[in-house]
Amino acid sequence: MKFAQVKAFPENFLWGASTSAYQVEGGWDADGKGLSIMDKGNHSTKNSDFKVASDHYHRYKEDVALLAEMGLKAYRFSLAWTRILPDGRGAVNQKGIEFYSNLINELLTYNIEPIVTMYHFDLPYALHQEGGWANRATIDAFVDYARVLFTHFGDRVKYWLTINEQNIMILHGAALGLFSEQGKKELYQQNHHMLVAQAKVMELCHTMCSQAKIGPAPNISSVYPAACKPEDYMAAQNWSAIRNWLYLDAAVFGRYNSLVWSYFTEKGYTPAILEGDMEILENAKPDFIAFNYYATATVAGSKNSTVSDRKADQQVAKDEEGVYYTEANPYVSKTEFGWSIDPAGFRNTLRELQDRYRLPLLVTENGLGAYDKLEPGDVVNDEYRIEFLRQHIEQARLAITDGVNLIGYCPWSAIDLVSTHSGVSKRYGFIYVNRDEFDLKDLRRIKKKSFYWYQKLIANHGTDLSGR
Ligand code: BG6
């Protein structure tokens, strides 16, 4: 739809940026931190030194000052469960509480709103050894962990995210470096446990922190039919239900998506649901939907594949016989890493979410991974990133004009960090961190061109996207 008048971003719009603990902090065993599956596992970032990552654990003050200089209104980051509860449950590590308390205070000093993810891929290894999410006891461990977080940070944190990209953990766990060799039935059982845990934690948040808001944080994207064939459209509905709606229908409506349930029944994937579970799901009410958006998907109803590169990747789906077949989209370009670049698809995704759930929406990731180059004189000329973000922000504004209740935009990533499976050299940040895969150099922070562009954009509240 074309509008003669494009609406402005809402007054209190949360212009932000994002990171996650294991990708940015380093200090992997500092001050009593326990080990997570990311520290122990078959994580592909072992191709680079992720024990130090961006050393944010030791440099958070300098980093927050830079975020403030950029003008951020919000900073979305995750807490390392194992910094707080080294064994996943039981004794609280006061040093971990102290670190996050200091970080939150530092942000608030600059009037930056903390948006806190409780769990971003880094399950405590101790819980993994007891079966991880396959074990129902992990539900209680997560609720107990949440209680600790609400007790210590609930007075200052107003925006909580439960689980980052639960859908990607279930569908593409191997690409993230999770221990994900289980069959789909077991994975969907784990998924059920996560849904119950999330619901319990949302309720607990409302009980313990009456001023706070909480929501899920899956990765959501529109799915296109490869052609206007009815069977392709149906395949797009199938993949969208399996990839997107399963997770949000459960979080928002407290029920399983009916199409996905039929798929489960057909394939033999139905999870065991205990008495009371569905009631727990129904009673939990998220205040908003946070979601990550990188790329749209395109699928067909029969095999005619143009997709040749099928290596493990969270944005490239694998075919599922009789359900959907992945196709390339000739109408969009791609990043150096093969992810489609689809700003209009971002608007489509926002519109779908608005229409389906009628909840405030918060974008918690969106960005461009690229091989940035540090040029003489400490210059990083990341024009391509500026263009990517500019186009997406433009579409966000159009989506607001469409009627979408968008409350914030937090691109990935605030600062360079370790990618889930492409090491340090796939960079996303506004701030360059001077290190290579194994050569830690001096880890100094360098403002990229996109830093100054975003700074200006925030200052003019997104009215001028050119960054002038
Ligand atoms: C999302 C994750 O899947 O995408 C982030 O929430 C991740 O943790 C981001 O880093 C980008 O993916 P990648 O593989 O390029 O690091």
Side-chain angles (χ1 to χ4, degrees), residues 161-223:
L161 315 177
T162 52
I163 302 177
N164 179 70
E165 294 195 349
Q166 181 177 331
N167 55 340
I168 304 298
M169 286 199 273
I170 297 300
L171 295 164
H172 302 291
L176 302 174
L178 309 180
F179 294 89
S180 196
E181 44 287 319
Q182 307 87 345
K184 285 201 181 168
K185 183 165 170 67
E186 194 187 351
L187 284 170
Y188 283 118
Q189 187 63 55
Q190 294 185 18
N191 182 56
H192 179 70
H193 294 155
M194 279 192 233
L195 291 174
V196 173
Q198 168 172 268
K200 286 187 155 193
V201 162
M202 290 196 293
E203 273 225 275
L204 184 68
C205 178
H206 290 141
T207 315
M208 290 182 68
C209 322
S210 55
Q211 300 302 308
K213 296 181 193 308
I214 188 162
N219 180 306
I220 301 295
S221 71
S222 291
V223 180

Side-chain angles (χ1 to χ4, degrees), residues 1 43 64 76 96 98 143 181 200 207 226 237 250 256 310 314 339 341 373 392-393 398 405 409 419 446 451 460:
M1 204 177 329
H43 194 266
V64 172
R76 181 253 182 167
E98 214 174 281
V143 176
E181 44 287 319
K200 286 187 155 193
T207 315
Q237 288 183 332
Y256 270 91
R310 296 298 177 116
Q314 69 261 47
W339 293 11
I341 302 180
K373 265 200 214 72
H392 283 78
I393 293 173
L398 289 170
N405 183 5
Y409 177 73
S419 146
I446 297 153
F451 177 100
N460 69 41

Side-chain angles (χ1 to χ4, degrees), residues 172 174-176 309-314 316 318 421:
H172 302 291
L176 302 174
D309 186 5
R310 296 298 177 116
K311 63 179 187 311
D313 189 303
Q314 69 261 47
V316 182
K318 295 191 189 88
H421 62 285

